[in-house]
PDB file of all heavy atoms in Angstrom:
ATOM      1  N   ALA A   1      46.256  -6.916 -22.022  1.00 93.00           N
ATOM      2  CA  ALA A   1      45.440  -7.285 -20.886  1.00 93.00           C
ATOM      3  C   ALA A   1      45.914  -6.469 -19.734  1.00 93.00           C
ATOM      4  O   ALA A   1      46.757  -5.648 -19.774  1.00 93.00           O
ATOM      5  CB  ALA A   1      45.741  -8.780 -20.670  1.00 93.00           C
ATOM      6  N   ARG A   2      45.137  -6.719 -18.660  1.00 95.00           N
ATOM      7  CA  ARG A   2      45.484  -6.064 -17.406  1.00 95.00           C
ATOM      8  C   ARG A   2      46.248  -7.088 -16.482  1.00 95.00           C
ATOM      9  O   ARG A   2      45.901  -8.200 -16.425  1.00 95.00           O
ATOM     10  CB  ARG A   2      44.166  -5.583 -16.703  1.00 95.00           C
ATOM     11  CG  ARG A   2      44.366  -4.691 -15.501  1.00 95.00           C
ATOM     12  CD  ARG A   2      44.622  -3.311 -15.992  1.00 95.00           C
ATOM     13  NE  ARG A   2      44.641  -2.389 -14.833  1.00 95.00           N
ATOM     14  CZ  ARG A   2      45.372  -1.278 -14.752  1.00 95.00           C
ATOM     15  NH1 ARG A   2      46.102  -0.962 -15.743  1.00 95.00           N
ATOM     16  NH2 ARG A   2      45.312  -0.439 -13.683  1.00 95.00           N
ATOM     17  N   PHE A   3      47.299  -6.577 -15.895  1.00 97.00           N
ATOM     18  CA  PHE A   3      48.199  -7.445 -15.070  1.00 97.00           C
ATOM     19  C   PHE A   3      48.482  -6.648 -13.675  1.00 97.00           C
ATOM     20  O   PHE A   3      48.104  -5.524 -13.489  1.00 97.00           O
ATOM     21  CB  PHE A   3      49.527  -7.616 -15.625  1.00 97.00           C
ATOM     22  CG  PHE A   3      49.490  -8.239 -17.031  1.00 97.00           C
ATOM     23  CD1 PHE A   3      49.310  -7.486 -18.237  1.00 97.00           C
ATOM     24  CD2 PHE A   3      49.567  -9.632 -17.150  1.00 97.00           C
ATOM     25  CE1 PHE A   3      49.313  -8.128 -19.441  1.00 97.00           C
ATOM     26  CE2 PHE A   3      49.587 -10.220 -18.371  1.00 97.00           C
ATOM     27  CZ  PHE A   3      49.407  -9.421 -19.573  1.00 97.00           C
ATOM     28  N   PHE A   4      49.151  -7.402 -12.858  1.00 97.00           N
ATOM     29  CA  PHE A   4      49.572  -6.751 -11.594  1.00 97.00           C
ATOM     30  C   PHE A   4      50.857  -7.577 -11.027  1.00 97.00           C
ATOM     31  O   PHE A   4      50.979  -8.712 -11.286  1.00 97.00           O
ATOM     32  CB  PHE A   4      48.561  -6.668 -10.466  1.00 97.00           C
ATOM     33  CG  PHE A   4      48.249  -7.878  -9.763  1.00 97.00           C
ATOM     34  CD1 PHE A   4      48.779  -8.318  -8.651  1.00 97.00           C
ATOM     35  CD2 PHE A   4      47.193  -8.718 -10.304  1.00 97.00           C
ATOM     36  CE1 PHE A   4      48.466  -9.508  -7.968  1.00 97.00           C
ATOM     37  CE2 PHE A   4      46.735  -9.894  -9.695  1.00 97.00           C
ATOM     38  CZ  PHE A   4      47.464 -10.268  -8.495  1.00 97.00           C
ATOM     39  N   CYS A   5      51.793  -6.689 -10.483  1.00 96.00           N
ATOM     40  CA  CYS A   5      53.013  -7.316  -9.844  1.00 96.00           C
ATOM     41  C   CYS A   5      52.915  -7.115  -8.378  1.00 96.00           C
ATOM     42  O   CYS A   5      52.327  -6.194  -7.910  1.00 96.00           O
ATOM     43  CB  CYS A   5      54.256  -6.520 -10.368  1.00 96.00           C
ATOM     44  SG  CYS A   5      54.657  -6.879 -12.184  1.00 96.00           S
ATOM     45  N   THR A   6      53.362  -8.118  -7.649  1.00 95.00           N
ATOM     46  CA  THR A   6      53.637  -7.980  -6.217  1.00 95.00           C
ATOM     47  C   THR A   6      55.053  -7.465  -5.953  1.00 95.00           C
ATOM     48  O   THR A   6      55.915  -7.836  -6.683  1.00 95.00           O
ATOM     49  CB  THR A   6      53.325  -9.292  -5.458  1.00 95.00           C
ATOM     50  OG1 THR A   6      54.200 -10.303  -6.077  1.00 95.00           O
ATOM     51  CG2 THR A   6      51.838  -9.798  -5.621  1.00 95.00           C
ATOM     52  N   ALA A   7      55.169  -6.678  -4.949  1.00 95.00           N
ATOM     53  CA  ALA A   7      56.516  -6.039  -4.557  1.00 95.00           C
ATOM     54  C   ALA A   7      56.549  -5.893  -3.143  1.00 95.00           C
ATOM     55  O   ALA A   7      55.557  -5.737  -2.448  1.00 95.00           O
ATOM     56  CB  ALA A   7      56.685  -4.754  -5.331  1.00 95.00           C
ATOM     57  N   GLY A   8      57.845  -5.849  -2.632  1.00 93.00           N
ATOM     58  CA  GLY A   8      58.011  -5.550  -1.219  1.00 93.00           C
ATOM     59  C   GLY A   8      57.655  -4.170  -0.879  1.00 93.00           C
ATOM     60  O   GLY A   8      57.670  -3.282  -1.809  1.00 93.00           O
ATOM     61  N   ARG A   9      57.320  -3.953   0.281  1.00 92.00           N
ATOM     62  CA  ARG A   9      56.942  -2.482   0.668  1.00 92.00           C
ATOM     63  C   ARG A   9      58.069  -1.584   0.420  1.00 92.00           C
ATOM     64  O   ARG A   9      59.182  -1.789   0.687  1.00 92.00           O
ATOM     65  CB  ARG A   9      56.649  -2.415   2.150  1.00 92.00           C
ATOM     66  CG  ARG A   9      55.262  -3.124   2.575  1.00 92.00           C
ATOM     67  CD  ARG A   9      54.915  -2.768   3.888  1.00 92.00           C
ATOM     68  NE  ARG A   9      55.895  -3.279   4.964  1.00 92.00           N
ATOM     69  CZ  ARG A   9      56.039  -4.458   5.359  1.00 92.00           C
ATOM     70  NH1 ARG A   9      55.308  -5.474   5.067  1.00 92.00           N
ATOM     71  NH2 ARG A   9      57.067  -4.696   6.248  1.00 92.00           N
ATOM     72  N   GLY A  10      57.826  -0.468  -0.269  1.00 95.00           N
ATOM     73  CA  GLY A  10      58.780   0.532  -0.672  1.00 95.00           C
ATOM     74  C   GLY A  10      59.395   0.241  -2.042  1.00 95.00           C
ATOM     75  O   GLY A  10      60.035   1.186  -2.632  1.00 95.00           O
ATOM     76  N   MET A  11      59.111  -0.820  -2.617  1.00 96.00           N
ATOM     77  CA  MET A  11      59.604  -1.250  -3.971  1.00 96.00           C
ATOM     78  C   MET A  11      58.721  -0.842  -5.153  1.00 96.00           C
ATOM     79  O   MET A  11      59.015  -1.005  -6.215  1.00 96.00           O
ATOM     80  CB  MET A  11      59.836  -2.658  -4.062  1.00 96.00           C
ATOM     81  CG  MET A  11      61.046  -3.155  -3.132  1.00 96.00           C
ATOM     82  SD  MET A  11      62.603  -2.542  -3.769  1.00 96.00           S
ATOM     83  CE  MET A  11      62.790  -3.383  -5.271  1.00 96.00           C
ATOM     84  N   GLU A  12      57.489  -0.339  -4.800  1.00 96.00           N
ATOM     85  CA  GLU A  12      56.372   0.029  -5.791  1.00 96.00           C
ATOM     86  C   GLU A  12      57.104   1.013  -6.772  1.00 96.00           C
ATOM     87  O   GLU A  12      56.784   0.913  -7.964  1.00 96.00           O
ATOM     88  CB  GLU A  12      55.154   0.517  -5.191  1.00 96.00           C
ATOM     89  CG  GLU A  12      54.533  -0.453  -4.233  1.00 96.00           C
ATOM     90  CD  GLU A  12      54.963  -0.410  -2.784  1.00 96.00           C
ATOM     91  OE1 GLU A  12      55.974   0.389  -2.460  1.00 96.00           O
ATOM     92  OE2 GLU A  12      54.506  -1.117  -1.969  1.00 96.00           O
ATOM     93  N   ARG A  13      57.771   2.056  -6.324  1.00 96.00           N
ATOM     94  CA  ARG A  13      58.285   3.129  -7.200  1.00 96.00           C
ATOM     95  C   ARG A  13      59.223   2.520  -8.213  1.00 96.00           C
ATOM     96  O   ARG A  13      59.277   2.913  -9.378  1.00 96.00           O
ATOM     97  CB  ARG A  13      58.905   4.181  -6.452  1.00 96.00           C
ATOM     98  CG  ARG A  13      60.215   3.964  -5.725  1.00 96.00           C
ATOM     99  CD  ARG A  13      60.822   5.095  -5.085  1.00 96.00           C
ATOM    100  NE  ARG A  13      61.181   6.050  -6.031  1.00 96.00           N
ATOM    101  CZ  ARG A  13      62.425   6.133  -6.692  1.00 96.00           C
ATOM    102  NH1 ARG A  13      63.300   5.249  -6.479  1.00 96.00           N
ATOM    103  NH2 ARG A  13      62.678   7.198  -7.577  1.00 96.00           N
ATOM    104  N   PHE A  14      60.025   1.544  -7.807  1.00 97.00           N
ATOM    105  CA  PHE A  14      61.011   0.983  -8.765  1.00 97.00           C
ATOM    106  C   PHE A  14      60.266   0.097  -9.789  1.00 97.00           C
ATOM    107  O   PHE A  14      60.621   0.087 -10.960  1.00 97.00           O
ATOM    108  CB  PHE A  14      62.085   0.082  -7.940  1.00 97.00           C
ATOM    109  CG  PHE A  14      62.884   0.936  -7.003  1.00 97.00           C
ATOM    110  CD1 PHE A  14      62.478   0.950  -5.705  1.00 97.00           C
ATOM    111  CD2 PHE A  14      64.012   1.624  -7.412  1.00 97.00           C
ATOM    112  CE1 PHE A  14      63.316   1.688  -4.746  1.00 97.00           C
ATOM    113  CE2 PHE A  14      64.671   2.395  -6.515  1.00 97.00           C
ATOM    114  CZ  PHE A  14      64.304   2.370  -5.211  1.00 97.00           C
ATOM    115  N   VAL A  15      59.236  -0.647  -9.319  1.00 97.00           N
ATOM    116  CA  VAL A  15      58.473  -1.442 -10.281  1.00 97.00           C
ATOM    117  C   VAL A  15      57.756  -0.554 -11.301  1.00 97.00           C
ATOM    118  O   VAL A  15      57.793  -0.858 -12.630  1.00 97.00           O
ATOM    119  CB  VAL A  15      57.428  -2.313  -9.562  1.00 97.00           C
ATOM    120  CG1 VAL A  15      56.473  -3.077 -10.519  1.00 97.00           C
ATOM    121  CG2 VAL A  15      58.000  -3.313  -8.565  1.00 97.00           C
ATOM    122  N   MET A  16      57.145   0.553 -10.845  1.00 97.00           N
ATOM    123  CA  MET A  16      56.498   1.447 -11.801  1.00 97.00           C
ATOM    124  C   MET A  16      57.453   2.045 -12.864  1.00 97.00           C
ATOM    125  O   MET A  16      57.077   2.162 -13.933  1.00 97.00           O
ATOM    126  CB  MET A  16      55.763   2.644 -10.958  1.00 97.00           C
ATOM    127  CG  MET A  16      54.726   2.107 -10.127  1.00 97.00           C
ATOM    128  SD  MET A  16      53.888   3.329  -9.091  1.00 97.00           S
ATOM    129  CE  MET A  16      53.109   4.225 -10.304  1.00 97.00           C
ATOM    130  N   ALA A  17      58.665   2.353 -12.372  1.00 95.00           N
ATOM    131  CA  ALA A  17      59.658   3.045 -13.258  1.00 95.00           C
ATOM    132  C   ALA A  17      60.123   1.852 -14.344  1.00 95.00           C
ATOM    133  O   ALA A  17      60.187   2.183 -15.550  1.00 95.00           O
ATOM    134  CB  ALA A  17      60.827   3.481 -12.518  1.00 95.00           C
ATOM    135  N   GLU A  18      60.271   0.742 -13.943  1.00 95.00           N
ATOM    136  CA  GLU A  18      60.584  -0.411 -14.892  1.00 95.00           C
ATOM    137  C   GLU A  18      59.479  -0.674 -15.859  1.00 95.00           C
ATOM    138  O   GLU A  18      59.703  -0.887 -17.002  1.00 95.00           O
ATOM    139  CB  GLU A  18      60.964  -1.665 -14.089  1.00 95.00           C
ATOM    140  CG  GLU A  18      62.380  -1.737 -13.655  1.00 95.00           C
ATOM    141  CD  GLU A  18      62.735  -3.140 -13.293  1.00 95.00           C
ATOM    142  OE1 GLU A  18      62.516  -3.532 -12.173  1.00 95.00           O
ATOM    143  OE2 GLU A  18      63.274  -3.795 -14.182  1.00 95.00           O
ATOM    144  N   LEU A  19      58.266  -0.743 -15.385  1.00 95.00           N
ATOM    145  CA  LEU A  19      57.159  -0.904 -16.261  1.00 95.00           C
ATOM    146  C   LEU A  19      57.019   0.103 -17.338  1.00 95.00           C
ATOM    147  O   LEU A  19      56.679  -0.132 -18.512  1.00 95.00           O
ATOM    148  CB  LEU A  19      55.806  -1.005 -15.365  1.00 95.00           C
ATOM    149  CG  LEU A  19      55.617  -2.217 -14.582  1.00 95.00           C
ATOM    150  CD1 LEU A  19      54.329  -2.054 -13.689  1.00 95.00           C
ATOM    151  CD2 LEU A  19      55.503  -3.537 -15.400  1.00 95.00           C
ATOM    152  N   ALA A  20      57.336   1.319 -16.981  1.00 93.00           N
ATOM    153  CA  ALA A  20      57.292   2.460 -17.983  1.00 93.00           C
ATOM    154  C   ALA A  20      58.414   2.330 -18.988  1.00 93.00           C
ATOM    155  O   ALA A  20      58.165   2.620 -20.263  1.00 93.00           O
ATOM    156  CB  ALA A  20      57.270   3.793 -17.277  1.00 93.00           C
ATOM    157  N   SER A  21      59.587   1.978 -18.512  1.00 92.00           N
ATOM    158  CA  SER A  21      60.748   1.934 -19.446  1.00 92.00           C
ATOM    159  C   SER A  21      60.936   0.597 -20.277  1.00 92.00           C
ATOM    160  O   SER A  21      61.306   0.644 -21.377  1.00 92.00           O
ATOM    161  CB  SER A  21      62.094   2.214 -18.602  1.00 92.00           C
ATOM    162  OG  SER A  21      62.274   1.202 -17.706  1.00 92.00           O
ATOM    163  N   ARG A  22      60.517  -0.462 -19.569  1.00 92.00           N
ATOM    164  CA  ARG A  22      60.816  -1.738 -20.237  1.00 92.00           C
ATOM    165  C   ARG A  22      59.659  -2.332 -20.965  1.00 92.00           C
ATOM    166  O   ARG A  22      59.721  -2.973 -21.945  1.00 92.00           O
ATOM    167  CB  ARG A  22      61.290  -2.767 -19.242  1.00 92.00           C
ATOM    168  CG  ARG A  22      62.611  -2.512 -18.518  1.00 92.00           C
ATOM    169  CD  ARG A  22      62.818  -3.596 -17.470  1.00 92.00           C
ATOM    170  NE  ARG A  22      64.011  -3.339 -16.744  1.00 92.00           N
ATOM    171  CZ  ARG A  22      65.239  -3.772 -16.995  1.00 92.00           C
ATOM    172  NH1 ARG A  22      65.384  -4.450 -18.114  1.00 92.00           N
ATOM    173  NH2 ARG A  22      66.229  -3.428 -16.185  1.00 92.00           N
ATOM    174  N   VAL A  23      58.392  -2.092 -20.351  1.00 93.00           N
ATOM    175  CA  VAL A  23      57.240  -2.695 -20.863  1.00 93.00           C
ATOM    176  C   VAL A  23      56.297  -1.808 -21.626  1.00 93.00           C
ATOM    177  O   VAL A  23      55.398  -2.248 -22.335  1.00 93.00           O
ATOM    178  CB  VAL A  23      56.406  -3.403 -19.674  1.00 93.00           C
ATOM    179  CG1 VAL A  23      55.239  -4.254 -20.162  1.00 93.00           C
ATOM    180  CG2 VAL A  23      57.406  -4.336 -18.887  1.00 93.00           C
ATOM    181  N   CYS A  24      56.630  -0.513 -21.561  1.00 91.00           N
ATOM    182  CA  CYS A  24      55.711   0.537 -22.170  1.00 91.00           C
ATOM    183  C   CYS A  24      54.260   0.272 -21.665  1.00 91.00           C
ATOM    184  O   CYS A  24      53.292   0.340 -22.416  1.00 91.00           O
ATOM    185  CB  CYS A  24      55.714   0.432 -23.689  1.00 91.00           C
ATOM    186  SG  CYS A  24      57.343   0.815 -24.363  1.00 91.00           S
ATOM    187  N   ALA A  25      54.184   0.108 -20.399  1.00 94.00           N
ATOM    188  CA  ALA A  25      52.837  -0.226 -19.716  1.00 94.00           C
ATOM    189  C   ALA A  25      52.080   1.075 -19.632  1.00 94.00           C
ATOM    190  O   ALA A  25      52.481   2.159 -19.572  1.00 94.00           O
ATOM    191  CB  ALA A  25      53.028  -0.698 -18.342  1.00 94.00           C
ATOM    192  N   ALA A  26      50.681   0.957 -19.641  1.00 94.00           N
ATOM    193  CA  ALA A  26      49.725   2.003 -19.550  1.00 94.00           C
ATOM    194  C   ALA A  26      48.899   1.681 -18.304  1.00 94.00           C
ATOM    195  O   ALA A  26      48.973   0.690 -17.704  1.00 94.00           O
ATOM    196  CB  ALA A  26      48.867   2.027 -20.772  1.00 94.00           C
ATOM    197  N   GLU A  27      48.301   2.846 -17.865  1.00 95.00           N
ATOM    198  CA  GLU A  27      47.371   2.761 -16.696  1.00 95.00           C
ATOM    199  C   GLU A  27      48.071   2.164 -15.511  1.00 95.00           C
ATOM    200  O   GLU A  27      47.497   1.277 -14.827  1.00 95.00           O
ATOM    201  CB  GLU A  27      46.108   2.005 -16.966  1.00 95.00           C
ATOM    202  CG  GLU A  27      45.279   2.631 -18.225  1.00 95.00           C
ATOM    203  CD  GLU A  27      44.141   1.696 -18.554  1.00 95.00           C
ATOM    204  OE1 GLU A  27      44.365   0.740 -19.259  1.00 95.00           O
ATOM    205  OE2 GLU A  27      43.005   2.049 -18.183  1.00 95.00           O
ATOM    206  N   VAL A  28      49.301   2.647 -15.263  1.00 96.00           N
ATOM    207  CA  VAL A  28      50.095   2.104 -14.073  1.00 96.00           C
ATOM    208  C   VAL A  28      49.647   2.753 -12.771  1.00 96.00           C
ATOM    209  O   VAL A  28      49.634   3.982 -12.803  1.00 96.00           O
ATOM    210  CB  VAL A  28      51.570   2.372 -14.390  1.00 96.00           C
ATOM    211  CG1 VAL A  28      52.369   1.696 -13.218  1.00 96.00           C
ATOM    212  CG2 VAL A  28      52.006   1.686 -15.608  1.00 96.00           C
ATOM    213  N   GLU A  29      49.269   2.031 -11.803  1.00 95.00           N
ATOM    214  CA  GLU A  29      48.884   2.535 -10.502  1.00 95.00           C
ATOM    215  C   GLU A  29      49.403   1.581  -9.487  1.00 95.00           C
ATOM    216  O   GLU A  29      49.467   0.364  -9.677  1.00 95.00           O
ATOM    217  CB  GLU A  29      47.369   2.766 -10.514  1.00 95.00           C
ATOM    218  CG  GLU A  29      46.550   1.591 -10.840  1.00 95.00           C
ATOM    219  CD  GLU A  29      45.069   1.841 -10.853  1.00 95.00           C
ATOM    220  OE1 GLU A  29      44.734   3.028 -10.847  1.00 95.00           O
ATOM    221  OE2 GLU A  29      44.236   0.861 -11.057  1.00 95.00           O
ATOM    222  N   SER A  30      49.525   2.078  -8.233  1.00 94.00           N
ATOM    223  CA  SER A  30      50.052   1.186  -7.185  1.00 94.00           C
ATOM    224  C   SER A  30      49.214   1.302  -5.960  1.00 94.00           C
ATOM    225  O   SER A  30      48.603   2.432  -5.645  1.00 94.00           O
ATOM    226  CB  SER A  30      51.464   1.527  -6.951  1.00 94.00           C
ATOM    227  OG  SER A  30      51.670   2.838  -6.329  1.00 94.00           O
ATOM    228  N   VAL A  31      49.260   0.211  -5.161  1.00 93.00           N
ATOM    229  CA  VAL A  31      48.773   0.204  -3.722  1.00 93.00           C
ATOM    230  C   VAL A  31      49.966  -0.426  -2.982  1.00 93.00           C
ATOM    231  O   VAL A  31      50.783  -1.002  -3.665  1.00 93.00           O
ATOM    232  CB  VAL A  31      47.489  -0.514  -3.564  1.00 93.00           C
ATOM    233  CG1 VAL A  31      46.390   0.122  -4.403  1.00 93.00           C
ATOM    234  CG2 VAL A  31      47.622  -1.992  -4.072  1.00 93.00           C
ATOM    235  N   PRO A  32      49.979  -0.329  -1.758  1.00 92.00           N
ATOM    236  CA  PRO A  32      51.007  -1.017  -0.996  1.00 92.00           C
ATOM    237  C   PRO A  32      51.196  -2.423  -1.325  1.00 92.00           C
ATOM    238  O   PRO A  32      50.270  -3.200  -1.073  1.00 92.00           O
ATOM    239  CB  PRO A  32      50.635  -0.701   0.513  1.00 92.00           C
ATOM    240  CG  PRO A  32      49.893   0.505   0.575  1.00 92.00           C
ATOM    241  CD  PRO A  32      49.064   0.518  -0.829  1.00 92.00           C
ATOM    242  N   GLY A  33      52.349  -2.843  -1.794  1.00 93.00           N
ATOM    243  CA  GLY A  33      52.627  -4.200  -2.084  1.00 93.00           C
ATOM    244  C   GLY A  33      52.236  -4.639  -3.487  1.00 93.00           C
ATOM    245  O   GLY A  33      52.597  -5.775  -3.851  1.00 93.00           O
ATOM    246  N   LYS A  34      51.578  -3.859  -4.348  1.00 96.00           N
ATOM    247  CA  LYS A  34      51.099  -4.221  -5.665  1.00 96.00           C
ATOM    248  C   LYS A  34      51.131  -3.072  -6.570  1.00 96.00           C
ATOM    249  O   LYS A  34      50.978  -1.934  -6.203  1.00 96.00           O
ATOM    250  CB  LYS A  34      49.750  -4.809  -5.608  1.00 96.00           C
ATOM    251  CG  LYS A  34      49.666  -6.163  -4.901  1.00 96.00           C
ATOM    252  CD  LYS A  34      48.287  -6.754  -4.743  1.00 96.00           C
ATOM    253  CE  LYS A  34      48.248  -8.175  -4.109  1.00 96.00           C
ATOM    254  NZ  LYS A  34      48.705  -8.027  -2.767  1.00 96.00           N
ATOM    255  N   VAL A  35      51.406  -3.389  -7.871  1.00 97.00           N
ATOM    256  CA  VAL A  35      51.367  -2.393  -9.003  1.00 97.00           C
ATOM    257  C   VAL A  35      50.565  -2.994 -10.113  1.00 97.00           C
ATOM    258  O   VAL A  35      50.814  -4.073 -10.627  1.00 97.00           O
ATOM    259  CB  VAL A  35      52.842  -2.159  -9.449  1.00 97.00           C
ATOM    260  CG1 VAL A  35      52.763  -1.023 -10.599  1.00 97.00           C
ATOM    261  CG2 VAL A  35      53.734  -1.550  -8.295  1.00 97.00           C
ATOM    262  N   PHE A  36      49.539  -2.250 -10.598  1.00 97.00           N
ATOM    263  CA  PHE A  36      48.537  -2.668 -11.536  1.00 97.00           C
ATOM    264  C   PHE A  36      49.010  -1.953 -12.854  1.00 97.00           C
ATOM    265  O   PHE A  36      49.307  -0.753 -12.882  1.00 97.00           O
ATOM    266  CB  PHE A  36      47.205  -2.362 -11.159  1.00 97.00           C
ATOM    267  CG  PHE A  36      46.721  -2.964  -9.931  1.00 97.00           C
ATOM    268  CD1 PHE A  36      46.847  -2.475  -8.734  1.00 97.00           C
ATOM    269  CD2 PHE A  36      46.136  -4.262  -9.887  1.00 97.00           C
ATOM    270  CE1 PHE A  36      46.513  -3.017  -7.473  1.00 97.00           C
ATOM    271  CE2 PHE A  36      45.679  -4.932  -8.769  1.00 97.00           C
ATOM    272  CZ  PHE A  36      45.929  -4.231  -7.524  1.00 97.00           C
ATOM    273  N   PHE A  37      48.891  -2.644 -13.995  1.00 96.00           N
ATOM    274  CA  PHE A  37      49.239  -2.035 -15.210  1.00 96.00           C
ATOM    275  C   PHE A  37      48.495  -2.728 -16.403  1.00 96.00           C
ATOM    276  O   PHE A  37      48.082  -3.910 -16.299  1.00 96.00           O
ATOM    277  CB  PHE A  37      50.681  -1.999 -15.505  1.00 96.00           C
ATOM    278  CG  PHE A  37      51.425  -3.396 -15.573  1.00 96.00           C
ATOM    279  CD1 PHE A  37      51.711  -3.978 -16.769  1.00 96.00           C
ATOM    280  CD2 PHE A  37      51.624  -4.145 -14.383  1.00 96.00           C
ATOM    281  CE1 PHE A  37      52.247  -5.248 -16.859  1.00 96.00           C
ATOM    282  CE2 PHE A  37      52.192  -5.349 -14.494  1.00 96.00           C
ATOM    283  CZ  PHE A  37      52.455  -5.914 -15.699  1.00 96.00           C
ATOM    284  N   SER A  38      48.424  -2.108 -17.551  1.00 95.00           N
ATOM    285  CA  SER A  38      47.950  -2.649 -18.795  1.00 95.00           C
ATOM    286  C   SER A  38      49.121  -2.867 -19.712  1.00 95.00           C
ATOM    287  O   SER A  38      50.080  -1.903 -19.785  1.00 95.00           O
ATOM    288  CB  SER A  38      46.881  -1.764 -19.437  1.00 95.00           C
ATOM    289  OG  SER A  38      45.742  -1.780 -18.562  1.00 95.00           O
ATOM    290  N   ALA A  39      49.228  -3.944 -20.474  1.00 94.00           N
ATOM    291  CA  ALA A  39      50.355  -4.216 -21.350  1.00 94.00           C
ATOM    292  C   ALA A  39      49.942  -5.237 -22.400  1.00 94.00           C
ATOM    293  O   ALA A  39      48.915  -5.871 -22.370  1.00 94.00           O
ATOM    294  CB  ALA A  39      51.556  -4.575 -20.611  1.00 94.00           C
ATOM    295  N   LYS A  40      50.804  -5.256 -23.517  1.00 91.00           N
ATOM    296  CA  LYS A  40      50.492  -6.265 -24.520  1.00 91.00           C
ATOM    297  C   LYS A  40      50.851  -7.607 -24.016  1.00 91.00           C
ATOM    298  O   LYS A  40      51.551  -7.766 -23.029  1.00 91.00           O
ATOM    299  CB  LYS A  40      51.401  -5.888 -25.740  1.00 91.00           C
ATOM    300  CG  LYS A  40      50.881  -4.670 -26.526  1.00 91.00           C
ATOM    301  CD  LYS A  40      51.904  -4.585 -27.665  1.00 91.00           C
ATOM    302  CE  LYS A  40      51.504  -3.246 -28.489  1.00 91.00           C
ATOM    303  NZ  LYS A  40      52.355  -2.981 -29.668  1.00 91.00           N
ATOM    304  N   LEU A  41      50.334  -8.660 -24.631  1.00 88.00           N
ATOM    305  CA  LEU A  41      50.696 -10.046 -24.225  1.00 88.00           C
ATOM    306  C   LEU A  41      51.947 -10.527 -24.684  1.00 88.00           C
ATOM    307  O   LEU A  41      52.160 -11.416 -25.503  1.00 88.00           O
ATOM    308  CB  LEU A  41      49.510 -10.967 -24.680  1.00 88.00           C
ATOM    309  CG  LEU A  41      48.137 -10.753 -24.194  1.00 88.00           C
ATOM    310  CD1 LEU A  41      47.160 -11.719 -24.853  1.00 88.00           C
ATOM    311  CD2 LEU A  41      48.145 -10.881 -22.732  1.00 88.00           C
ATOM    312  N   ASP A  42      52.939  -9.810 -24.153  1.00 89.00           N
ATOM    313  CA  ASP A  42      54.433 -10.156 -24.572  1.00 89.00           C
ATOM    314  C   ASP A  42      55.138 -10.557 -23.248  1.00 89.00           C
ATOM    315  O   ASP A  42      55.549  -9.707 -22.409  1.00 89.00           O
ATOM    316  CB  ASP A  42      55.072  -8.866 -25.213  1.00 89.00           C
ATOM    317  CG  ASP A  42      56.421  -9.264 -25.838  1.00 89.00           C
ATOM    318  OD1 ASP A  42      57.037 -10.276 -25.350  1.00 89.00           O
ATOM    319  OD2 ASP A  42      56.972  -8.436 -26.573  1.00 89.00           O
ATOM    320  N   LEU A  43      55.156 -11.768 -23.088  1.00 88.00           N
ATOM    321  CA  LEU A  43      55.789 -12.328 -21.772  1.00 88.00           C
ATOM    322  C   LEU A  43      57.198 -12.046 -21.707  1.00 88.00           C
ATOM    323  O   LEU A  43      57.796 -11.799 -20.606  1.00 88.00           O
ATOM    324  CB  LEU A  43      55.535 -13.875 -21.745  1.00 88.00           C
ATOM    325  CG  LEU A  43      55.849 -14.486 -20.323  1.00 88.00           C
ATOM    326  CD1 LEU A  43      55.109 -13.860 -19.249  1.00 88.00           C
ATOM    327  CD2 LEU A  43      55.498 -16.009 -20.408  1.00 88.00           C
ATOM    328  N   ASN A  44      58.013 -11.966 -22.752  1.00 88.00           N
ATOM    329  CA  ASN A  44      59.426 -11.657 -22.718  1.00 88.00           C
ATOM    330  C   ASN A  44      59.575 -10.266 -22.154  1.00 88.00           C
ATOM    331  O   ASN A  44      60.631 -10.151 -21.304  1.00 88.00           O
ATOM    332  CB  ASN A  44      60.029 -11.760 -24.140  1.00 88.00           C
ATOM    333  CG  ASN A  44      60.184 -13.157 -24.536  1.00 88.00           C
ATOM    334  OD1 ASN A  44      60.389 -14.087 -23.793  1.00 88.00           O
ATOM    335  ND2 ASN A  44      60.069 -13.342 -25.856  1.00 88.00           N
ATOM    336  N   GLN A  45      58.741  -9.283 -22.569  1.00 89.00           N
ATOM    337  CA  GLN A  45      58.927  -7.934 -21.921  1.00 89.00           C
ATOM    338  C   GLN A  45      58.671  -7.931 -20.512  1.00 89.00           C
ATOM    339  O   GLN A  45      59.459  -7.370 -19.685  1.00 89.00           O
ATOM    340  CB  GLN A  45      58.071  -6.960 -22.715  1.00 89.00           C
ATOM    341  CG  GLN A  45      58.598  -6.467 -23.989  1.00 89.00           C
ATOM    342  CD  GLN A  45      57.698  -5.370 -24.599  1.00 89.00           C
ATOM    343  OE1 GLN A  45      56.668  -5.087 -24.050  1.00 89.00           O
ATOM    344  NE2 GLN A  45      58.198  -4.609 -25.376  1.00 89.00           N
TER     345      GLN A  45
END
């Protein structure tokens, strides 16, 4: 499914790096305060 995370300003780059390494997320993109991504329905990840 498609998800998004909220983040403090300036924290988007850290969220994107974690999504790539921990969640194996695809289609990761950011706007100020939010990061959008696609991932499997694995809540633990």
